[in-house]
Amino acid sequence: MVALSLKISIGNVVKTMQFEPSTMVYDACRIIRERIPEALSGPPSDFGLFLSDDDPKKGIWLEAGKALDYYMLRNGDTMEYRKKQRPLKIRMLDGTVKTVMVDDSKTVTDMLMTICARISITNHDEYSLVREIMEEKKEEVTGTLRKDKTLLRDEKKMEKLKQKLHTDDELNWLDHGRTLREQGVEEHETLLLRRKFFYSDQNVDSRDPVQLNLLYVQARDDILNGSHPVSFDKACEFAGFQCQIQFGPHNEQKHKAGFLDLKDFLPKEYVKQKGERKIFQAHKNCGQMSEIEAKVRYVKLARSLKTYGVSFFLVKEKMKGKNKLVPRLLGITKECVMRVDEKTKEVIQEWNLTNIKRWAASPKSFTLDFGDYQDGYYSVQTTEGEQIAQLIAGYIDIILKKKKKKK
C-alpha cells in the first residue's frame, strides 16, 4: 500500500510525515507525539487531528476510531494537531454567565452532559442550547422583509402573529446531532441554556435549587411575555410570589403605591389595570415564606396552566372542504401532539405521542402518520418542520430511556 504524505501543523511548526492509509486516527496522533517534540504540550486525550477548510463550518475533527483513508485524504493535505478543548460561555436564564471547557469535536448532545454536570443538573437530556440572534441581525432580516415586495402579505401576517404568540419557532435551538463548528458557532459567542423538554420537571423541588431557579425564571418570563396566557387575578397572584422572591416578606412601610415597576411583574395587557394593590395583597398573603418556598409555589401554580410544558409552533392547515389555509398552533408536550386555537389557546384535538407511527419534515411542510389509530395523515404548512421533528424525536427518546431504566 502506498504511504500517505501529510503535512502536520502544530502551532507555527509544520512537518511532513508518512502514514499508512489504514492507520487509525488514534495511532496517527500517537506517532505524531513520538516524532514531533512540540506535540507533547499536554495530556494526549486533550488533543486531536483537525482537517481545516476555508469555510470554518466545514472543518472537521477526525474521529479516533476511524482510519485515515476514511477521510479520503490526499498527499500534501495539511492536518492540524491541536487542542480539542474550547471555552464556551453559557448564559443562564437568570442572567448569570458561566464559562465551561467543552470538547470541540463532540456533538451538542455530548457537550450538554459536560455543561449540565458542571452546574449540577442531572437530567441533561431535557436541556438544550439556544443561539441568540443579535438585534442588528434581526434588523437586517426585518429590513430585507420590508424591502422585498414579493413577500406575500399573508407571510408578513404570520411573522407578526409568531412574534405576538412567542412560539417555539422564535428560538434558534442548536441541533443536538451536530458539533458547534458544523453549526457555525464562533468562539466568542454566548449560548443560552434552556429547558427544551418538560418531562421530569414535576420532580424538581426545594431539594434541587439550581433546577428550581431555572424553572422559575423560565416560567416567569413565559407568563410575563404572554406565552402562557393568564387572567388578571392569576397574574396578580404570580406577581405576589415574585415580590416575595425578589424582596422578601411584605413590608407596609416600604412596599406601597409606586414601589413596583408593573411591566416587570405583569403581562403587558394588564400593566394599565392598576394592579399594584392586588399584587401587594398577594405578597402579604405569602407571610414569612422563604425565597425557595415561594419559587416552589410559583412553579406549582405555573404547572396548573393549560399551556405549561407545551412547545408551540405557528403553522397553516387546510380548512375542511375549502381550498384555504388558516393559522393554527401545533403544540407538543411529553404526552401528545395537539391542534390549538391560535387566539384562545383552546385545544381542538390531540394525539398521543405513542400513537405516532412516523413523521416527515420537508422545507415547507410537516406530516404526521398515526398508522391504524387514524385514517389519513395530518399535514401542515411550516418552515419549522425539522425543529418539530427534533422535538417529537427528543420526547420519544426520553420516554424509551425511562422505560429501559424501569426494566
Side-chain angles (χ1 to χ4, degrees), residues 135 137-147 163:
E135 283 308 314
K137 284 198 182 167
K138 276 188 189 168
E139 262 310 304
E140 276 170 40
V141 174
T142 49
T144 49
L145 286 183
R146 277 189 220 108
K147 282 178 217 153
Q163 284 159 12

Side-chain angles (χ1 to χ4, degrees), residues 229 306 340-346:
K306 62 185 177 185
V340 176
D341 185 288
E342 80 287 356
K343 292 190 181 81
T344 62
K345 293 215 172 169
E346 290 295 332

Side-chain angles (χ1 to χ4, degrees), residues 99-196:
T99 301
V100 180
M101 290 303 284
V102 294
D103 186 334
D104 190 44
S105 68
K106 297 273 198 267
T107 62
V108 170
T109 295
D110 292 331
M111 278 184 192
L112 280 164
M113 291 171 76
T114 306
I115 293 162
C116 291
R118 276 288 307 278
I119 47 186
S120 308
I121 292 174
T122 48
N123 49 324
H124 61 86
D125 48 1
E126 293 184 41
Y127 283 82
S128 191
L129 296 169
V130 177
R131 202 170 179 190
E132 297 177 285
I133 300 173
M134 307 304 279
E135 283 308 314
E136 313 89 78
K137 284 198 182 167
K138 276 188 189 168
E139 262 310 304
E140 276 170 40
V141 174
T142 49
T144 49
L145 286 183
R146 277 189 220 108
K147 282 178 217 153
D148 188 358
K149 294 278 196 313
T150 59
L151 196 76
L152 301 169
R153 203 180 311 146
D154 192 29
E155 284 187 32
K156 284 188 179 174
K157 266 190 205 162
M158 287 291 276
E159 276 307 312
K160 274 188 179 165
L161 193 53
K162 239 181 225 187
Q163 284 159 12
K164 186 182 164 192
L165 293 166
H166 293 281
T167 50
D168 218 61
D169 36 19
E170 265 198 329
L171 296 170
N172 197 3
W173 295 105
L174 287 184
D175 181 342
H176 282 205
R178 297 195 294 156
T179 64
L180 295 181
R181 184 172 294 280
E182 286 169 328
Q183 298 178 69
V185 178
E186 294 172 24
E187 302 237 346
H188 60 79
E189 283 188 57
T190 301
L191 299 174
L192 175 69
L193 181 72
R194 186 180 170 94
R195 182 181 278 274
K196 184 174 185 178

Side-chain angles (χ1 to χ4, degrees), residues 9 69 205 218 243:
S9 160
D69 59 4
D205 57 21
Q218 196 162 330
C243 286

Side-chain angles (χ1 to χ4, degrees), residues 15 51 85 111 140 184-185 216 232 235 250 267 273 296 310 327 335-336 340 348 362 366 377 382 384-385 397:
K15 294 266 173 81
L51 182 60
Q85 302 291 315
M111 278 184 192
E140 276 170 40
V185 178
Y216 158 67
F232 175 64
H250 185 74
Q273 282 197 35
V296 169
V310 187
E335 285 152 357
C336 64
V340 176
I348 301 164
S362 80
F366 182 76
Y377 305 118
T382 174
E384 309 298 330
D397 277 353

